[in-house]
């Protein structure tokens, strides 16, 4: 079964891990990004998520009667009129159908739809679009929910970053002993 891909409007990237996997909470690695959108721009994605969850709830009610259904966390949240939508992609794993190992990473394009120069690190506040595939699930442990599988990103405005610091220029020369 082929699942349909969707592309978001332009939004602000938050904590993008698009060029190398994040291994902090998953040894398989994950690519992920949060996208900040206005309510108007987020509406289509939110409707897709909510419709898929409704379909899963209807299936569950047909199977198990009208018992209360456990719900997983949504892949979006509303923060003062701005919607933060979570997209993710597992970096490595075992294909469930073929039993073969795989690796994957999101395709990244610039504003001209040319492959992204991987030496240019994408930082938060970059303006991007995300292409994703929504995936509804029903897991007894966490409930019915929807994940947004990251597929590709287009960067309209690139923000280059550096680690924050508060250093000022100091005179070169011999140092004094610390007064403690």
């Amino acid at each position: 079964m082929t699942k349909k891909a969707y592309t978001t409007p332009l939004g602000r990237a938050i904590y993008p891990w698009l060029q190398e996997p994040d291994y902090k909470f998953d040894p398989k690695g994950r690519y992920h990004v949060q996208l900040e959108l206005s309510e108007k721009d987020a509406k289509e994605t939110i409707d897709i998520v909510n419709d898929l969850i409704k379909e899963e709830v209807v299936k569950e009610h047909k199977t198990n009667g009208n018992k209360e259904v456990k719900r997983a966390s949504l892949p979006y949240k509303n923060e003062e009129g701005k919607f933060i939508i979570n997209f993710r992609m597992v970096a490595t794993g075992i294909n469930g159908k073929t039993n073969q190992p795989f690796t994957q990473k999101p395709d990244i394009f610039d504003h001209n739809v040319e492959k992204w120069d991987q030496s240019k690190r994408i930082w938060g506040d970059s303006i991007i679009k995300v292409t994703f595939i929504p995936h509804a699930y029903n897991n007894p442990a966490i409930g019915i929910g929807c994940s947004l599988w990251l597929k590709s990103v287009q960067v309209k405005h690139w923000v280059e970053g550096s680690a924050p610091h508060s250093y000022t220029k100091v005179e070169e020369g011999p140092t004094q002993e610390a007064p403690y």
Side-chain angles (χ1 to χ4, degrees):
M1 177 170 104
T2 304
K3 296 189 177 222
K4 183 177 178 187
Y6 298 89
T7 301
T8 67
L10 290 166
R12 184 175 72 91
I14 302 172
Y15 303 121
W17 281 81
L18 299 170
Q19 293 162 288
E20 60 186 50
D22 179 2
Y23 292 98
K24 187 168 184 176
F25 298 108
D26 188 345
K28 294 183 278 186
R30 288 200 185 268
Y31 295 96
H32 55 89
V33 64
Q34 295 178 321
L35 188 67
E36 180 185 86
L37 294 169
S38 68
E39 184 173 358
K40 178 182 164 236
D41 287 343
K43 184 179 182 344
E44 180 184 8
T45 302
I46 290 168
D47 288 347
I48 290 165
V49 168
N50 292 341
D51 289 347
L52 284 172
I53 290 172
K54 282 180 197 169
E55 289 174 19
E56 284 297 315
V57 168
V58 167
K59 284 185 211 172
E60 181 67 16
H61 284 313
K62 284 182 181 175
T63 305
N64 294 320
N66 285 334
K67 292 192 297 189
E68 188 173 334
V69 176
K70 187 174 184 177
R71 301 282 183 112
S73 297
L74 293 169
Y76 64 84
K77 60 186 172 186
N78 183 347
E79 291 186 353
E80 299 174 11
K82 298 283 186 185
F83 281 81
I84 310 299
I85 304 174
N86 298 306
F87 302 91
R88 61 190 171 106
M89 170 190 278
V90 66
T92 62
I94 303 292
N95 183 303
K97 293 179 182 171
T98 66
N99 249 4
Q100 296 298 310
F102 70 86
T103 60
Q104 62 182 352
K105 63 183 188 176
D107 292 323
I108 305 174
F109 302 96
D110 66 13
H111 65 284
N112 290 320
V113 195
E114 295 176 8
K115 283 285 192 181
W116 185 256
D117 176 356
Q118 290 296 316
S119 68
K120 296 164 56 175
R121 306 311 295 167
I122 299 170
W123 283 63
D125 291 333
S126 293
I127 304 300
I128 65 172
K129 289 181 179 184
V130 176
T131 297
F132 67 96
I133 296 176
H135 174 74
Y137 58 85
N138 186 351
N139 180 317
I142 58 175
I144 292 175
C146 182
S147 295
L148 303 177
W149 293 349
L150 174 65
K151 290 298 172 187
S152 64
V153 171
Q154 182 181 19
V155 181
K156 179 180 185 209
H157 175 74
W158 172 53
V159 173
E160 183 178 21
S162 63
H165 65 79
S166 59
Y167 299 124
T168 59
K169 202 170 195 178
V170 293
E171 269 187 46
E172 189 177 4
T175 59
Q176 295 179 341
E177 292 282 327
Y180 46 83

